[in-house]
Amino acid sequence: MLTGLSLTAAQSAIAAPVAGCGAGHDLRTVEQAIAVIDWRIYTTAEREQIEDELSTVVDANGDGYLCVKQFRPSQGSDKHWGAEGYVVTGLSDNRAKGRA
């Protein structure tokens, strides 16, 4: 169950030089992306599954980088996710060309 995260897998698995991210997203290594996720709402088993999927599914081009966007906590997201001050993290593969 991948609640609280927005995961987007790339369509192509072609290895290429590190591409960038769209506006409003930060380019980070998979390890850095894992480090910024607010893990409070996940069990240990869910966390392990998500970490594996970030490396194998979301990083479809296999370059070790992801695009990260975090959304500030709000009363609505706190209520939805069940954790006060919960930070929702959006993650996708770095497919945009010409951005860093």
Side-chain angles (χ1 to χ4, degrees):
M1 176 182 251
L2 300 177
T3 58
L5 290 176
S6 171
L7 304 175
T8 307
Q11 297 295 329
S12 172
I14 299 170
V18 175
C21 300
H25 293 76
D26 296 321
L27 181 65
R28 298 188 186 218
T29 66
V30 171
E31 293 79 19
Q32 290 169 331
I34 289 169
V36 300
I37 296 171
D38 188 344
W39 292 106
R40 293 180 289 157
I41 66 170
Y42 299 100
T43 65
T44 301
E46 289 171 331
R47 179 177 177 155
E48 290 171 358
Q49 177 185 356
I50 292 167
E51 288 180 1
D52 181 55
E53 289 178 3
L54 290 175
S55 298
T56 60
V57 176
V58 180
D59 184 23
N61 64 9
D63 67 357
Y65 289 89
L66 297 173
C67 296
V68 178
K69 182 171 183 169
Q70 292 193 296
F71 301 87
R72 287 186 280 206
S74 68
Q75 288 180 340
S77 64
D78 290 353
K79 190 175 186 180
H80 180 76
W81 299 112
E84 187 174 335
Y86 185 74
V87 176
V88 175
T89 303
L91 300 158
S92 61
D93 203 7
N94 57 313
R95 297 180 287 159
K97 303 221 181 216
R99 296 200 155 212

